[in-house]
Amino acid sequence: MTSRTVERRGDRRHRIALIDGPNMSSLGRRSKQVYGEINSLADLQRYVVEYGEALGVEIETFDSNHEGYILEYIHESADRVDAYIINPAGLTTKGEGVRHALEDTGLPTVEVHFSNIQAAAGSSRGLGGGSISSSFTHTATGMCMGLRQYSYVGALTALVHALDDQGFLAPDA
């Protein structure tokens, strides 16, 4: 990745947890039309970590095909991270336990997806079976989807700017 400097409002080195859920481990073997040219989950995680470094933040990565491990990770990481980015992947429609755990942390959470999960069947960036509803969206701070690995970059950039903006995530006065 080419080194770039991104102008930020703050200079705090935030720690952001990146969680990739079930089926992301098969990245690189999935539809190139939807998932692009990323060859593996490890490549994606390296890409996001390097982008985080360019933003001046630390990215802590975690992935699992098992919901219980993701829950345990959220519970044990909540005191050391400032926010979460999650691609719930195979848990998107049914991952209520994970969604509750993220909500209970009280930390900002941005949901990401390589595909546009709201796109109609046959759409170039949608899922083969058509649109799905995420159980995460209604409690997430924000969402970025349909932009392949760039969904992660968009989510990370926006989240860092939101964390730097003291008023953005503060309760209404």
Side-chain angles (χ1 to χ4, degrees):
M1 173 178 269
T2 304
S3 179
R4 296 191 191 326
T5 301
V6 177
E7 193 69 32
R8 288 182 44 200
R9 294 178 83 176
D11 58 2
R12 182 163 179 255
R13 188 159 174 84
H14 303 293
R15 177 178 277 185
I16 298 171
L18 170 63
I19 301 171
D20 283 293
N23 297 327
M24 289 303 293
S25 59
S26 66
L27 194 59
R29 297 185 304 273
R30 300 174 85 177
S31 165
K32 295 295 183 194
Q33 182 175 349
V34 175
Y35 296 95
E37 298 301 320
I38 295 284
N39 290 318
S40 69
L41 182 56
D43 288 347
L44 172 65
Q45 290 170 337
R46 252 188 315 280
Y47 175 76
V48 176
V49 167
E50 289 175 5
Y51 193 81
E53 288 172 0
L55 285 171
V57 299
E58 183 180 343
I59 306 299
E60 181 176 305
T61 64
F62 181 82
D63 60 90
S64 180
N65 285 322
H66 306 283
E67 185 173 14
Y69 293 149
I70 295 170
L71 284 166
E72 289 174 359
Y73 173 75
I74 293 166
H75 294 303
E76 65 89 15
S77 66
D79 290 333
R80 73 170 178 270
V81 302
D82 300 303
Y84 292 93
I85 295 174
I86 185 168
N87 183 339
L91 298 174
T92 299
T93 60
K94 306 253 186 243
E96 283 298 302
V98 171
R99 186 192 65 76
H100 280 271
L102 288 168
E103 185 178 20
D104 287 347
T105 68
L107 298 173
T109 300
V110 178
E111 179 181 0
V112 295
H113 296 279
F114 266 67
S115 64
N116 178 346
I117 65 171
Q118 294 295 301
S123 170
S124 64
R125 292 288 180 264
L127 300 169
S131 68
I132 61 172
S133 292
S134 170
S135 65
F136 290 78
T137 306
H138 68 279
T139 56
T141 306
M143 179 185 212
C144 195
M145 65 178 177
L147 303 168
R148 296 180 179 160
Q149 71 271 22
Y150 308 118
S151 294
Y152 288 72
V153 169
L156 180 56
T157 302
L159 184 55
V160 168
H161 285 287
L163 289 169
D164 285 347
D165 180 348
Q166 294 179 358
F168 180 78
L169 295 171
D172 292 334

